[in-house]
Amino acid sequence: MTTPTPTAPAQEEALEKVSPSASVLTNVYDSAERLKLDAEVVDLLRSSWREVRAQVPVRMDDRKLRIFEGYRVQHNGARGPYKGGVRFHPQADLDEVRALAMLMTYKCALMDLPFGGAKGGVMCDPNRMSQTELNRLTRAYTQHIGMVLGVSRDIPAPDMGTNAQTMAWMMDAYGQRYGYTPGVVTGKPVELGGSYGRDQATGRGVATIMREYAAREGSHPKDIRVAVQGYGNVGSWTCRIAVEHGFKIVAVSDVKGGIANPDGIDIAALDRWVTVAGSVAGFSGATPITNEGLLEYDCDYLVPAALGEVITGQNAGTIKARAVVEGANHPVTPSGDRGLAERGIVALPDTLVNAGGVTVSYFEWTQNIQQFRWSLERVNEELEARMVSTFEQVMARAEKDGTRPRQAAFDIGLERVAKAIQLRGFV
Ligand code: GLU
């Protein structure tokens, strides 16, 4: 077995066309090379520990049976029970879920949470399904993967296309079979043992990182124009909390379109509009732009907070922001990353930037185990403290090693995972 060599640029572009997991692995190999990791440890991390694929048959409202495909991928559990969200999305195929599970391993390790990495998914379009259909889908999915879940085995949470209601159904379906177990999922409604502040946690984390990065640059949030792609849970909370910090949100988009206003968008008014219209598109206090236009919009910080792989080798040259703040998971491909770096654009990586969600999931899990509830103030304070200290660790490591923040984040995460693998005797 040989230590993997770093991926050459041409190979890199070819690989990312092959699959999201190959694309995530290029970062892992790059980091393994820097850390001079044992080749057997790298071999272990190349693939998932377990991948469950299950049929998810659902009786639709029109009485027809549709069979969806669902997955739960457990990548590595050396540091603790598997942890990661469940995605309901037409593109959530096995390889995408596998890539996202890998990222969870390094995200949890970077944040020093006592978890391994996992992800789940069902290939479906939740926007085209009724609540009763989604309820049945979630229960069927939970029943069919239930044997690999558990408070100290694997703890799902929301991700794209799922929310607190989905977690309530999962908890209920799991409980019917295995007994009442609120700690088996996080991101539940507060009424069912969810944590205060979990719904806003990812956005709060993103806004905290922006604030810390601005301070490091020596700039003031009021002088920073921010463009946000996505106005779901992550994008909308990022906007609300960034505005509290004084940032100016100049462009926002969602699947139906985007809006921009160089003088700043009134986010409270936008929220009222979205509640009625169901999209940011058509908001009167701004001009319309496309989703591609949003990525190229003249701004200081660009926050991709929706789909993965939106910044690639193809469009990295058109980005005008000086920093890309990764609210989404894996929004920048390796060739996109190189393109940004060549132009001096800093990419603050997903495993740091969007880790607020899983961090408050960890708080929720500990509260469930202790059968105790923290106040919102305590949740936000502890979240802030962890985000700030991890940001500082990543920047200090990057400075010390002369690496980019993504490389530093992978180095810290991978080093911890490798250490746990060795201590537990996996290799
Ligand atoms: N889906 C979120 C993520 O990608 C949260 C995961 C969790 O809370 O377990 O980080």
Side-chain angles (χ1 to χ4, degrees), residues 12 18 82 100 132 136 155 172 188 209 213 223 248 261 264 291 294-295 315 354 366 392 394 423:
E12 187 178 85
V18 175
Y82 298 95
L100 294 165
T132 50
R136 288 196 285 271
I155 308 114
D172 192 64
K188 298 177 290 293
I209 296 295
Y213 187 70
D223 302 320
K248 193 160 39 162
N261 180 349
N291 256 298
L294 181 126
L295 295 173
N315 68 356
N354 72 32
T366 54
E392 279 164 5
V394 169
L423 284 170

Side-chain angles (χ1 to χ4, degrees), residues 60-76:
M60 304 300 274
D61 292 344
D62 63 6
R63 305 307 303 149
K64 292 205 176 90
L65 186 75
R66 273 192 65 188
I67 301 171
F68 297 91
E69 198 159 287
Y71 314 98
R72 184 70 182 171
V73 174
Q74 299 173 331
H75 173 248
N76 182 273

Side-chain angles (χ1 to χ4, degrees), residues 250-284:
V250 291
V252 181
S253 69
D254 60 30
V255 275
K256 295 194 181 136
I259 53 161
N261 180 349
D263 298 325
I265 295 166
D266 179 345
I267 294 298
L270 179 63
D271 275 336
R272 288 192 293 276
W273 168 258
V274 171
T275 311
V276 179
S279 165
V280 300
F283 178 60
S284 60

Side-chain angles (χ1 to χ4, degrees), residues 101-139:
M102 288 176 179
L103 282 175
M104 288 309 299
T105 298
Y106 304 111
K107 190 187 301 186
C108 291
L110 174 65
M111 296 306 292
D112 206 10
L113 307 177
F115 292 133
K119 202 82 173 194
V122 180
M123 280 175 79
C124 66
D125 186 351
N127 295 321
R128 289 159 163 266
M129 294 174 70
S130 69
Q131 285 299 295
T132 50
E133 288 169 341
L134 285 170
N135 185 345
R136 288 196 285 271
L137 175 103
T138 306
R139 286 174 190 282

